[in-house]
């Protein structure tokens, strides 16, 4: 009789052990997903609600087993809102820990150097992962860079980070003893830097272009910058045609062919290098520059030299069939 009871007890222990092993393996063992995939937890979601969504996505084998595992073997912490990358074959335990304590995925939105605010606003508005209205962005107020964001983040918070980055960059740049460019305010620095940004795509030329414009400002000579004529027409987008003679004479507050000095404000969002170029321009006597046909520019101290350079540029354009 005693042997029978021992045998039954042993059988029960084995059964309990097998059941416990099954539960533990079901919780800590590989999950059913055959590939990595993103999973979004909405704000305010409970573990119970998430369990059903995970099962529907094929990330866990059983809603009930996931809920039981979370209750008895999880930390009890709430799940976070956000978008998560769930690895292939992740266990229920690993998935719960990721949703509770992991870092949500970050996506990137990029503002390129010289991008006008109208395009920044359009990029933000078109981004379906962001929420809320797109705020109006003053020209020159955001720093060109790549910014990480989480799914569901507000457009306003992303803009705030872009603007904080510009403020910090400008603050740091202004701490360094600068050159002798006659720019008297933060707004002046941003305005001239935006013109430098739009006038050349070659980083090595920025200090020289800044030097030319600083020289012109110093003697009261008009800047004659094409991008300032275009800005009121397109808000900084490409014009797609040649500037009309009437536009060169238009009164807009930005037309540096008509009035000396800086325009009413920035014409784009300048990058760090253009800001640095304005604060530390090249030491030069040059007052003129024109395209050289290679993507760069040739500089001149006198009008006579400049006219000769313009003549060469026109000849290059004729050879290309552009004139």
């Amino acid at each position: 009789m005693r042997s029978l009871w021992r045998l039954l007890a042993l059988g029960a222990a084995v059964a309990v052990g097998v059941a416990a092993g099954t539960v533990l393996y079901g919780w800590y063992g590989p999950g059913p997903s055959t590939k990595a995939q993103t999973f979004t937890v909405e704000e305010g979601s409970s573990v119970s609600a998430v369990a059903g969504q995970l099962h529907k996505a094929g990330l866990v084998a059983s809603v009930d087993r996931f809920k039981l595992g979370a209750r008895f073997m999880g930390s009890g912490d709430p799940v976070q809102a956000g978008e998560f990358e769930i690895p292939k074959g992740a266990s229920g335990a690993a998935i719960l820990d990721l949703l509770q304590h992991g870092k949500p995925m970050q996506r990137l939105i990029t503002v390129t150097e010289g991008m006008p605010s109208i395009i920044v606003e359009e990029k933000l508005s078109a981004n379906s992962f962001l929420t809320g209205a797109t705020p109006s962005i003053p020209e020159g107020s955001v720093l060109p860079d790549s910014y990480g964001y989480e799914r569901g983040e507000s457009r306003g918070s992303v803009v705030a980070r872009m603007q904080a980055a510009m403020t910090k960059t400008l603050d740091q740049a202004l701490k360094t003893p600068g050159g002798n460019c006659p720019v008297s305010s933060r707004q002046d620095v941003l305005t001239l830097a935006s013109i430098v940004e739009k006038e050349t795509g070659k980083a090595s030329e920025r200090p020289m272009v800044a030097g030319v414009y600083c020289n012109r400002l110093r003697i009261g000579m008009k800047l004659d910058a094409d991008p300032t004529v275009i800005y009121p027409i397109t808000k900084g987008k490409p014009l797609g045609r040649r500037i009309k003679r009437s536009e060169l004479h238009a009164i807009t507050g930005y037309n540096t062919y008509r009035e000396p000095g800086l325009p009413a404000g920035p014409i784009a969002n300048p990058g760090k290098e253009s800001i640095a170029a304005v604060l530390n321009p090249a030491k030069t006597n040059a007052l003129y520059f024109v395209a050289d046909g290679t993507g760069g520019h040739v500089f001149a101290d006198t009008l006579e030299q400049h006219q000769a350079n313009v003549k060469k540029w026109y000849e290059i354009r004729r050879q290309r069939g552009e004139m």
Side-chain angles (χ1 to χ4, degrees), residues 154-193:
S154 74
R155 294 177 175 86
S157 67
V158 176
V159 171
R161 289 206 305 280
M162 293 175 173
Q163 292 175 327
M166 176 59 90
T167 299
K168 181 179 179 180
T169 294
L170 194 55
D171 286 344
Q172 291 176 339
L174 289 169
K175 288 178 182 178
T176 304
N180 59 349
C181 193
V183 285
S184 58
S185 68
R186 297 169 68 92
Q187 182 78 346
D188 287 352
V189 172
L190 289 173
T191 298
L192 186 53

Side-chain angles (χ1 to χ4, degrees), residues 47-60:
V47 171
S48 180
V50 165
Q53 294 163 3
L54 288 169
H55 182 255
K56 186 176 180 180
L59 291 166
V60 299

Side-chain angles (χ1 to χ4, degrees), residues 133-216:
T134 301
S136 177
I137 303 174
E139 201 68 75
S141 67
V142 304
L143 183 72
D145 204 345
S146 291
Y147 296 88
Y149 66 90
E150 295 178 10
R151 183 171 185 155
E153 186 174 357
S154 74
R155 294 177 175 86
S157 67
V158 176
V159 171
R161 289 206 305 280
M162 293 175 173
Q163 292 175 327
M166 176 59 90
T167 299
K168 181 179 179 180
T169 294
L170 194 55
D171 286 344
Q172 291 176 339
L174 289 169
K175 288 178 182 178
T176 304
N180 59 349
C181 193
V183 285
S184 58
S185 68
R186 297 169 68 92
Q187 182 78 346
D188 287 352
V189 172
L190 289 173
T191 298
L192 186 53
S194 71
I195 296 173
V196 171
E197 194 76 76
K198 298 297 282 187
E199 283 284 18
T200 180
K202 294 183 71 171
S204 60
E205 283 192 347
R206 288 172 182 145
M208 192 67 179
V209 171
V212 168
Y213 284 134
C214 290
N215 288 344
R216 288 191 168 207

Side-chain angles (χ1 to χ4, degrees), residues 26-179:
W27 182 242
Y28 293 105
S33 61
T34 58
K35 61 180 180 180
Q37 59 180 293
T38 58
F39 181 77
T40 302
V41 179
E42 301 296 338
E43 191 71 42
S45 293
S46 64
V47 171
S48 180
V50 165
Q53 294 163 3
L54 288 169
H55 182 255
K56 186 176 180 180
L59 291 166
V60 299
S62 166
V63 173
D64 291 337
R65 283 205 296 269
F66 183 84
K67 289 195 291 186
L68 285 172
R71 181 178 179 182
F72 293 107
M73 290 176 281
S75 69
D77 295 334
V79 292
Q80 308 172 84
E83 188 175 19
F84 298 84
E85 178 77 18
I86 309 295
K88 171 184 175 181
S91 66
I95 292 173
L96 180 63
D97 184 60
L98 177 62
L99 300 186
Q100 289 175 327
H101 311 118
K103 189 173 182 180
M105 287 175 58
Q106 282 205 329
R107 298 177 181 271
L108 289 177
I109 187 166
T110 299
V111 177
T112 56
E113 294 173 332
M115 181 179 286
S117 288
I118 189 172
I119 295 182
V120 179
E121 292 173 6
E122 289 174 354
K123 288 188 71 170
L124 289 166
S125 296
N127 190 311
S128 60
F129 297 113
L130 296 173
T131 61
T134 301
S136 177
I137 303 174
E139 201 68 75
S141 67
V142 304
L143 183 72
D145 204 345
S146 291
Y147 296 88
Y149 66 90
E150 295 178 10
R151 183 171 185 155
E153 186 174 357
S154 74
R155 294 177 175 86
S157 67
V158 176
V159 171
R161 289 206 305 280
M162 293 175 173
Q163 292 175 327
M166 176 59 90
T167 299
K168 181 179 179 180
T169 294
L170 194 55
D171 286 344
Q172 291 176 339
L174 289 169
K175 288 178 182 178
T176 304

